[in-house]
Amino acid sequence: MLLVLAARLLVRVDAAAALQRSMARSLAGREPTTAAEWQQVMRIGHATATGGAWVVDRKRPCLPIALATQGLLARLGFRAVVRLGVGRSGNTIEAHAWVECGGRCIVGKPEQTLVALH
């Protein structure tokens, strides 16, 4: 939960720098290969999403939670990528962040109406 709070503060101060560090981390590490590793990865995603819900802005929770999840996975040696998606809903632009590891969504289910940025 503390890592999610730190990510929230970092996003408020300098979101561009936070995303840059996230991109650099996503180049290193390995994909989970065993069932035990996948279970560990999924537990981390669940823990950051659940704990993060207590410390993030309820209107914009996805980016700090995604950054914290990716940071934890990177510390354990796993390659995880923060994905960003954007779309329109009427006159407003919506955005969302989620984390993928080994081609699977770990936290922040991607929404079908958004276009993923690569």
Side-chain angles (χ1 to χ4, degrees):
M1 197 161 28
L2 220 50
L3 191 58
V4 176
L5 182 59
R8 176 185 175 197
L9 293 173
L10 184 60
V11 166
R12 285 185 176 247
V13 172
D14 194 354
L19 287 171
Q20 237 175 358
R21 278 192 291 281
S22 169
M23 288 172 48
R25 278 194 307 257
S26 70
L27 299 175
R30 60 182 171 72
E31 293 184 359
T33 55
T34 67
E37 287 179 341
W38 276 111
Q39 191 174 35
Q40 182 181 25
V41 166
M42 297 308 285
R43 272 196 310 251
I44 289 169
H46 179 73
T48 54
T50 303
W54 291 92
V55 296
V56 297
D57 182 349
R58 294 187 192 276
K59 293 179 182 175
R60 297 179 305 267
C62 57
L63 185 56
I65 290 172
L67 290 171
T69 301
Q70 192 227 18
L72 285 170
L73 292 173
R75 286 181 186 176
L76 293 172
F78 296 114
R79 182 183 317 125
V81 179
V82 173
R83 299 280 187 209
L84 302 173
V86 294
R88 288 188 79 117
S89 177
N91 291 334
T92 61
I93 294 176
E94 295 182 2
H96 183 56
W98 63 95
V99 175
E100 291 180 357
C101 182
R104 297 183 192 178
C105 181
I106 305 304
V107 69
K109 182 179 172 186
E111 297 178 17
Q112 300 295 342
T113 59
L114 301 179
V115 176
L117 304 174
H118 295 276

